[in-house]
Amino acid sequence: MTTANGVKPGKVLLVGEPMGLFSANQEGPLSEVGVWTASVAGAELNVAIGLKRLGQDPLYMTKIGDDPLGERIMAFLDANGLDTSLVRVDGGHHTGFMMKSRVSEGDPKTFYYRKDSAASTLGADDVERLDWTDISLTHITGILPPLSDSTLEAAYALVDQAREHGAFVSFDPNLRPALWKSEDVMTSTLRRLASRADLVMPGIGEGQVLFGVDTVEDTAKAFLDNGAKIVIVKDGPRGAYASDGSAEIRVPGFVVDHVVDTVGAGDGFAAGVLSSLLEGGDLADSMERGCALGAIQTQQVSDNEGLPTPDQLAEFIAVHKRAV
């Protein structure tokens, strides 16, 4: 299986909501936490940061409020060298934020405050004004569509415009059930978006919810039967499995001593895969890089501060064992 599927060097377009992130500095109920660490997060933003640090040219499109969190996000984008030409300040809406617990085992609890945020006003008209001249790939997640009726329209317009202009479409379902009106709406919408993607990167849990399957093979087949061209299924520390319907690839994950935080691992995986494909890497090499970035992210409390440079990535791959 090769990547002779339209992936070519060029800019990567990401559209989503950046958020202020307040991470608890101690374990226990968030209502009792007294000290927090402030940073910036957002699935699409995490992928953009990962791509930038690996030498790619991401374009990040969003809206932020005219408030301290919006200022923090803009400063963060500037500090990381991201192109902010598609970032608009909306004085009539606030910037969203989230609170995340600290845990020593399992996944942290996360609470979101994003209703009526600036990013929730993104719409199809914003997408239709884009200049696609240098954009070769767009990556979308399942978080943008349920933020509002207008962001749902923006998500569909993004996929349609990308296909019309010959850009490769990557899709991470990234389930957030609490954002959706109902599970039925979530399922039908994400299936529709996945059906129009060149590459879909679900996890086992997303296969269970969206198609009622529970193995990597069945998850890949379900998304392929739904219309995707290539499916890479994330299988946690075990690694990843990919299929295009005619061939399959299995890549082992990386062994780490201790998992600090799993949030952001999927975004790291996406950044690893996409950066490799854009460099002309084959699917196996791209999956290995994705597994490496996913593992690196589990070693960090922040959703994106640990994303590596090429040298840091090479060192991690060289010294870490693969899963059995």
Side-chain angles (χ1 to χ4, degrees), residues 119-172:
S120 72
T121 68
L122 284 164
D125 55 335
D126 296 301
V127 175
E128 289 164 0
R129 288 195 294 266
L130 287 167
D131 179 0
W132 290 84
T133 303
D134 298 320
I135 298 171
S136 66
L137 186 153
T138 186
H139 177 71
I140 184 173
T141 80
I143 299 175
L144 177 68
L147 296 181
S148 67
D149 290 342
S150 68
T151 60
L152 176 60
E153 295 174 356
Y156 285 135
L158 181 61
V159 173
D160 290 343
Q161 288 285 311
R163 291 169 66 91
E164 180 179 330
H165 290 89
F168 186 90
V169 178
S170 166
F171 179 60
D172 180 349

Side-chain angles (χ1 to χ4, degrees), residues 92-239:
H93 295 82
H94 67 91
T95 305
F97 72 94
M98 55 194 285
M99 302 169 70
K100 184 169 67 172
S101 67
R102 179 181 288 273
V103 296
S104 54
E105 294 183 359
D107 296 335
K109 291 185 177 180
T110 306
F111 295 85
Y112 297 92
Y113 301 85
R114 64 202 318 170
K115 183 176 175 59
D116 297 324
S117 68
S120 72
T121 68
L122 284 164
D125 55 335
D126 296 301
V127 175
E128 289 164 0
R129 288 195 294 266
L130 287 167
D131 179 0
W132 290 84
T133 303
D134 298 320
I135 298 171
S136 66
L137 186 153
T138 186
H139 177 71
I140 184 173
T141 80
I143 299 175
L144 177 68
L147 296 181
S148 67
D149 290 342
S150 68
T151 60
L152 176 60
E153 295 174 356
Y156 285 135
L158 181 61
V159 173
D160 290 343
Q161 288 285 311
R163 291 169 66 91
E164 180 179 330
H165 290 89
F168 186 90
V169 178
S170 166
F171 179 60
D172 180 349
N174 222 332
L175 300 188
R176 295 290 189 276
L179 295 176
W180 292 89
K181 296 176 181 178
S182 70
E183 184 169 328
D184 286 344
V185 172
M186 176 181 73
T187 299
S188 62
T189 302
L190 296 183
R191 283 181 176 178
R192 180 179 172 187
L193 288 168
S195 73
R196 299 178 65 76
D198 296 292
L199 170 65
V200 181
M201 292 183 278
I204 292 288
E206 289 154 342
Q208 291 173 334
V209 172
L210 297 180
F211 294 103
V213 295
D214 57 9
T215 67
V216 292
E217 297 87 356
D218 288 344
T219 299
K221 185 177 186 303
F223 278 96
L224 290 169
D225 290 346
N226 185 60
K229 295 178 181 178
I230 300 174
V231 180
I232 301 176
V233 185
K234 295 167 285 189
D235 196 18
R238 288 171 293 277

Side-chain angles (χ1 to χ4, degrees), residues 250-261:
R250 298 175 192 269
V251 171
F254 288 83
V255 178
V256 295
D257 294 332
H258 178 66
V259 173
V260 176
D261 192 330

